[in-house]
């Protein structure tokens, strides 16, 4: 096949009817815009697509009124001669008259043939596509040159509001984008050849033009070779403040060592730093201007080399969400997270509502004090040195609704949390040292979800009885080898809808004593894992079906090692739609007459004595689907 280079320019724009005709005439050299019959063996293919119209108030000029003409049909403009198409697409007065253009996507994909290393051709093509200065949104993707043409960062020829540079993998230097006075959104994504963002990024004349004076959103993502963000002009460090920046995102920049702006602007409301493996420190938020800090969301994830925040860094009182995840070398948390126990909550200025700190094993202890009164959700995990969480931390907190604690090797006891009058979700997972709940138990009438998982040394469930939790809907207990009794005289919470008991090998209280038949709202029941509670179950259910409530629609049974038969009592579960039976090696009797009419699906695994008989059910028109694994 003949070697060729195909450049796809996906120019998703809004044109009026006359502008479409003008573009065709200009690009094809034809007076009637006829592009039919062009050779399929051309060196270049230009695809032009239109998009939705711009907002009505973005049209300016007498010839730029919305016409409602926006087609998705592709237009192929081709030629055998690359210099010919470059000559055709050069900017002249005809192209620059297209003032109705609002949004432009230049998607340049070049096959790896004879021009794949020709920077000059790349530059000429993109240089020839300079749009009208009234363009508001521009995206350039897959450009193959080593630098952008002058017009991309020229403030005299641009009123851009939004600029996206994507997957231009050979770019080694950025244009002076800081000089684009109207630019509000800037996204730089996948520029793999870029190692340094230097002073050229801000522009050469910092004294007469403040760089990025209108920029509100800055996103830099997927920069595999980016190492340094330099603010030095010669030997002097420039004080670049991004005066109106509100959102900063740095994502998947694994070699970025540091040198973030030394003072982040106080107008920032959202900061996200993720997958920046080499980043060692985090700067402070600038307060020298006297303006109040507005930061609301700070998210730091998977920054494995991050050791510390700037020594003068404090969490601002404006912060509503704080997330620090998988920062394995972080050794301390800055001040401003907790409040003094003696401080009256009504006088606290903290607005923190969401706090997640996980995967930070070197933090020696949690900061002292109490959580802010506004805290609504708390997630703490992977802090191996965190010995205990004291009750004082939750002092007089009336709005906390969700608490999750996981992957903690030293937590031995939970504090008294009965003061949390709004707590609805409590999850404890993989805390092998946990031995007990607080002596006062869990007298929380608002609790709806309780999960205790992978706590092998937990000796008992909280007292008083779980039946004192009238709002509890979901209760999960898994891999708690020390628990011997699920409930006592009080029974289980009366309004449970989901109950899961898994891998509690020392649970001795027989299943018949759990009081399941009293749970009139129970919908999902899962009991699996070898334990004494089901060791003596030979027939399930009892013939009267009184063991389980009729409200069940999912029943999961596993590791009933001595189970031999399913009784006719199963037919009493008139709402049952899904039945799972696994690892019941002695099960040999399951009368088809016991299947309730509501049952739609049966999953069986590890029941070898039943497989041959129940395979016949697969083709029955009025029978449930049966699957064996």
């Amino acid at each position: 096949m003949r070697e060729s280079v195909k450049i796809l320019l996906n120019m998703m724009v809004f044109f009026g009817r006359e502008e479409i005709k003008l573009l065709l005439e200009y690009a094809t050299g034809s007076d009637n815009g006829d592009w039919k019959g062009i050779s399929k063996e051309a060196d270049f293919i230009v695809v032009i697509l239109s998009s939705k119209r711009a907002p009505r108030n973005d049209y300016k000029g007498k010839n730029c009124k919305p016409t409602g003409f926006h087609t998705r049909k592709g237009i192929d403009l081709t030629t055998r001669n690359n210099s010919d198409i470059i000559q055709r697409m050069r900017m002249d007065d005809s192209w620059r008259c297209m003032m109705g253009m609002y949004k432009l996507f230049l998607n340049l994909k070049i096959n790896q043939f004879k021009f794949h290393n020709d920077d000059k051709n790349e530059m000429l093509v993109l240089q020839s596509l300079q749009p009208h200065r009234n363009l508001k949104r521009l995206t350039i993707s897959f450009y193959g040159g080593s630098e952008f043409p002058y017009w991309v960062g020229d403030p005299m020829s641009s009123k851009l509001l939004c600029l996206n540079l994507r997957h231009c993998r050979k770019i080694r230097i950025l244009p002076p984008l800081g000089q684009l006075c109207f630019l509000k959104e800037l996204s730089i994504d996948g520029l793999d050849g870029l190692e340094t963002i230097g002073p050229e990024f801000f522009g050469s004349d910092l004294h007469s033009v403040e760089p990025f004076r209108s920029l509100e959103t800055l996103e830099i993502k997927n920069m595999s070779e980016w190492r340094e963000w330099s603010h030095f002009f010669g030997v002097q460090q420039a004080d670049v403040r991004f005066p109106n920046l509100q959102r900063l995102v740095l994502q998947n920049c694994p070699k970025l060592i540091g040198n973030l702006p030394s003072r982040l602007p106080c107008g920032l409301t959202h900061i996200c730093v993720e997958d920046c493996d080499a980043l060692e420190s985090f700067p402070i938020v600038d307060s020298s201007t006297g303006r109040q800090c507005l930061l609301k969301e700070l998210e730091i994830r998977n920054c494995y080399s991050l050791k510390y925040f700037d020594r003068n860094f404090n969490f601002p009182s404006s912060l509503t969400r704080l997330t620090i995840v998988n920062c394995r070398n972080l050794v301390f948390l800055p001040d401003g997270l907790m409040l003094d126990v003696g401080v009256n909550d009504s006088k606290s200025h903290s607005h923190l509502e969401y706090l997640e700190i996980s995967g930070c094993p070197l933090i020696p202890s949690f900061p002292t004090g109490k959580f802010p009164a506004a805290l609504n959700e708390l997630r703490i995990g992977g802090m191996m040195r965190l010995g205990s969480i004291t009750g004082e931390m939750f002092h007089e907190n009336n709005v906390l609704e969700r608490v999750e604690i996981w992957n903690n090797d030293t937590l031995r006891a939970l504090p008294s949390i009965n003061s949390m009058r709004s707590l609805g979700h409590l999850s404890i997972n993989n805390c092998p040292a946990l031995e007990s709940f607080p002596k006062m138990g869990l007298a929380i009438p608002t609790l709806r979800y309780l999960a205790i998982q992978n706590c092998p040394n937990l000796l008992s469930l909280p007292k008083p009885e779980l039946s004192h939790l009238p709002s509890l809907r979901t209760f999960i207990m898994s891999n708690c080898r020390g628990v011997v009794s699920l409930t006592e005289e009080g029974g289980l919470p009366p309004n449970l809808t989901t109950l899961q008991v898994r891998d509690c090998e020392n649970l001795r209280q027989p299943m018949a004593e759990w009081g399941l038949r009293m749970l009139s709202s129970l919908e999902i029941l899962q009991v699996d894992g070898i334990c004494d509670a089901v060791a003596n179950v030979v027939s399930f259910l009892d013939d009267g079906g009184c063991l389980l409530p009729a409200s069940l629609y999912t029943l999961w049974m596993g590791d009933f090692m001595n189970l031999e038969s399913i009784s006719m009592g199963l037919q009493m579960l008139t709402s049952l739609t899904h039945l799972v039976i696994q690892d019941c090696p002695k099960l040999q009797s399951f009368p088809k007459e016991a299947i309730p009419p509501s049952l739609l699906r049966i999953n069986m695994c590890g029941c070898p004595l039943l497989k041959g008989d129940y395979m016949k059910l697969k083709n029955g028109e009025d029978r449930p689907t049966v699957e064996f694994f």
Side-chain angles (χ1 to χ4, degrees):
M1 185 179 70
R2 179 181 179 273
E3 287 189 351
S4 65
V5 175
K6 298 180 180 179
I7 299 183
L8 304 180
L9 303 176
N10 294 332
M11 302 164 55
M12 303 182 67
V13 299
F14 177 85
F15 295 114
R17 294 178 184 271
E18 294 300 321
E19 291 164 333
I20 287 284
K21 183 174 183 295
L22 173 64
L23 178 60
L24 293 176
E25 292 175 358
Y26 179 69
T28 61
S30 170
D31 292 337
N32 58 6
D34 183 12
W35 63 91
K36 297 180 180 179
I38 299 176
S39 170
K40 295 181 179 180
E41 297 182 353
D43 288 330
F44 293 83
I45 298 177
V46 179
V47 180
I48 301 177
L49 296 174
S50 66
S51 72
K52 295 181 180 179
R53 69 181 65 184
R56 183 172 297 274
N57 58 1
D58 281 296
Y59 292 94
K60 297 179 181 179
K62 63 180 181 180
N63 295 322
C64 302
K65 297 179 181 179
T67 63
F69 181 81
H70 42 92
T71 178
R72 295 291 298 181
K73 294 181 179 179
I75 305 169
D76 291 347
L77 310 176
T78 63
T79 177
R80 286 179 175 272
N81 191 323
N82 62 304
S83 61
D84 183 32
I85 193 171
I86 292 173
Q87 182 64 31
R88 291 183 185 182
M89 297 302 291
R90 285 188 185 277
M91 296 301 99
D92 65 5
D93 293 338
S94 299
W95 176 270
R96 295 182 186 277
C97 284
M98 291 184 180
M99 297 177 65
M101 186 188 300
Y102 172 79
K103 184 186 297 186
L104 177 61
F105 289 76
L106 301 179
N107 188 4
L108 295 89
K109 292 186 178 180
I110 303 181
N111 285 352
Q112 304 252 331
F113 292 116
K114 61 182 178 182
F115 294 120
H116 72 286
N117 287 321
D118 195 338
D119 281 355
K120 184 177 180 181
N121 268 300
E122 296 274 359
M123 173 69 80
L124 285 174
V125 171
L126 186 55
Q127 186 171 313
S128 300
L129 291 171
Q130 179 180 356
H132 192 279
R133 71 186 305 267
N134 285 340
L135 184 71
K136 298 298 190 296
R137 307 180 73 88
L138 172 64
T139 297
I140 302 176
S141 301
F142 299 100
Y143 170 61
S146 59
E147 60 181 280
F148 290 104
Y150 72 94
W151 62 261
V152 176
D154 183 9
M156 302 304 296
S157 61
S158 176
K159 292 184 179 180
L160 277 178
L161 300 178
C162 176
L163 175 61
N164 298 292
L165 307 177
R166 298 175 180 170
H167 309 296
C168 304
R169 305 191 185 281
K170 294 184 180 181
I171 288 293
R172 299 190 178 278
I173 187 171
L174 290 175
L177 302 178
Q179 305 300 294
L180 299 179
C181 302
F182 302 98
L183 191 64
K184 290 187 176 183
E185 301 175 19
L186 174 60
S187 175
I188 302 173
D189 187 348
L191 274 61
D192 292 340
L194 191 67
E195 297 183 2
T196 300
I197 294 180
E200 73 285 342
F201 178 57
F202 303 99
S204 58
D205 191 359
L206 294 181
H207 299 289
S208 60
V209 179
E210 185 177 22
F212 295 109
R213 67 185 186 187
S214 299
L215 193 66
E216 297 176 355
T217 298
L218 175 60
E219 296 183 352
I220 305 178
K221 302 179 181 180
N222 304 312
M223 306 279 280
S224 60
E225 298 299 322
W226 182 33
R227 299 174 182 270
E228 183 180 8
W229 192 345
S230 175
H231 311 285
F232 283 88
F233 289 75
V235 296
Q236 184 178 3
Q237 184 173 4
D239 189 13
V240 181
R241 298 181 183 272
F242 297 92
N244 289 296
L245 193 63
Q246 299 176 15
R247 177 182 173 86
L248 173 63
V249 177
L250 303 177
Q251 191 175 76
N252 193 23
C253 304
K255 295 184 179 180
L256 179 61
I257 297 175
N259 289 336
L260 299 183
S262 58
R263 292 179 178 270
L264 298 175
C266 60
L268 271 171
T269 60
H270 179 98
I271 301 175
C272 176
V273 182
E274 184 174 357
D275 296 313
C276 296
D277 296 353
L279 190 66
E280 295 184 355
S281 64
F282 199 84
I284 65 173
V285 177
D286 184 18
S287 60
S288 62
T289 60
R291 295 172 57 189
Q292 182 180 1
C293 181
L294 301 178
L295 186 62
K296 292 183 177 181
E297 298 184 21
L298 175 58
E299 184 176 357
I300 305 174
R301 295 179 181 271
N302 305 326
C303 296
Y304 301 127
S305 298
L306 181 65
K307 297 179 180 179
Y308 54 88
F309 290 77
D310 188 283
R311 62 181 179 179
N312 295 319
F313 184 96
N314 289 324
F315 290 120
S317 61
S318 60
L319 200 63
T320 61
R321 293 180 63 90
L322 173 61
T323 304
I324 303 177
V325 176
N326 292 336
C327 298
R328 296 184 299 215
N329 287 301
L330 186 64
V331 295
F332 77 94
L333 295 173
D335 294 333
L337 179 60
M338 308 292 283
L339 304 178
D340 293 336
V341 175
V343 174
N344 191 312
D345 289 342
S346 62
K347 297 181 179 179
S348 169
H349 299 292
S350 176
H351 295 84
L352 190 64
E353 298 176 358
Y354 176 92
L355 173 61
E356 178 179 359
I357 301 177
S358 63
C360 305
L362 298 185
I363 296 179
S365 63
F366 214 80
T368 58
K370 64 180 180 179
F371 292 112
L375 191 65
N376 178 266
E377 184 170 347
L378 173 66
R379 305 182 76 243
I380 302 176
M383 299 176 65
M384 299 303 181
R385 299 186 183 185
L386 183 62
S388 64
I389 302 176
T390 66
E392 289 184 343
M393 292 181 174
F394 304 97
H395 182 64
E396 297 182 356
N397 188 297
N398 296 325
V399 299
L400 190 60
E401 295 185 0
R402 188 182 186 100
V403 174
E404 297 184 16
I405 301 173
W406 72 95
N407 293 351
N408 191 307
D409 287 344
T410 58
L411 182 66
R412 295 185 177 276
L414 290 179
S416 175
I417 54 179
N418 291 338
S419 61
M420 303 181 197
R421 301 173 186 175
S422 300
L423 187 64
H425 182 111
L426 176 61
S427 175
I428 311 294
N429 190 3
N430 196 26
C431 296
L434 182 65
E435 297 176 351
S436 64
F437 281 84
K439 295 180 179 180
M440 297 181 63
L442 294 178
I444 307 174
T446 57
L447 194 64
R448 299 181 301 275
Y449 179 98
L450 175 61
I452 308 168
Q453 303 178 81
N454 302 306
C455 300
N457 288 315
L458 182 66
L459 300 179
S460 64
L461 294 177
K463 308 292 183 182
E465 289 293 312
L466 292 176
S467 59
H468 290 220
L469 301 174
S471 299
L472 196 66
R473 299 293 186 271
T474 300
F475 177 46
I476 300 172
M477 185 172 69
S478 173
N479 191 23
C480 295
R481 297 194 298 267
V483 177
V484 297
S485 176
L486 186 63
T487 181
E488 295 181 1
E489 295 180 0
L492 291 167
N495 296 311
L496 272 183
T497 59
T498 299
L499 174 61
Q500 297 179 16
V501 181
R502 306 193 306 267
D503 300 316
C504 298
E505 59 188 58
N506 292 314
L507 185 63
R508 299 189 181 94
Q509 185 182 26
M511 187 175 174
E513 298 180 6
W514 295 359
L516 297 175
R517 64 183 179 274
M518 304 299 294
L519 305 180
S520 59
S521 300
L522 191 64
E523 298 175 346
I524 300 174
L525 174 62
Q526 179 178 357
V527 181
D528 66 57
I530 299 174
C531 67
D532 292 340
V534 299
N536 296 324
V537 177
V538 177
S539 177
F540 189 88
L541 306 162
D542 60 308
D543 288 338
C546 297
L547 180 63
L548 300 179
S551 56
L552 272 182
Y553 65 74
T554 296
L555 175 59
W556 186 309
M557 305 163 50
D559 298 293
F560 283 49
M561 304 306 293
N562 293 310
L563 181 66
E564 296 180 0
S565 65
I566 302 295
S567 75
M568 293 296 295
L570 184 68
Q571 197 174 38
M572 306 300 292
L573 302 182
T574 55
S575 300
L576 193 66
T577 61
H578 187 194
L579 175 62
V580 179
I581 303 176
Q582 65 178 23
D583 297 322
C584 299
K586 296 183 180 180
L587 181 60
Q588 55 186 333
S589 175
F590 187 173
K592 299 179 180 63
E593 295 77 14
I595 297 176
S598 59
L599 195 59
L600 301 176
R601 187 180 188 89
I602 301 176
N603 296 93
M604 291 189 180
C605 172
C607 305
L609 302 182
L610 279 181
K611 181 175 181 179
D613 191 23
Y614 266 77
M615 286 294 285
K616 301 176 183 178
L617 281 179
K618 288 188 175 182
N619 297 324
E621 294 181 359
D622 299 324
R623 294 293 184 178
T625 299
V626 181
E627 292 184 358
F628 291 88
F629 299 94

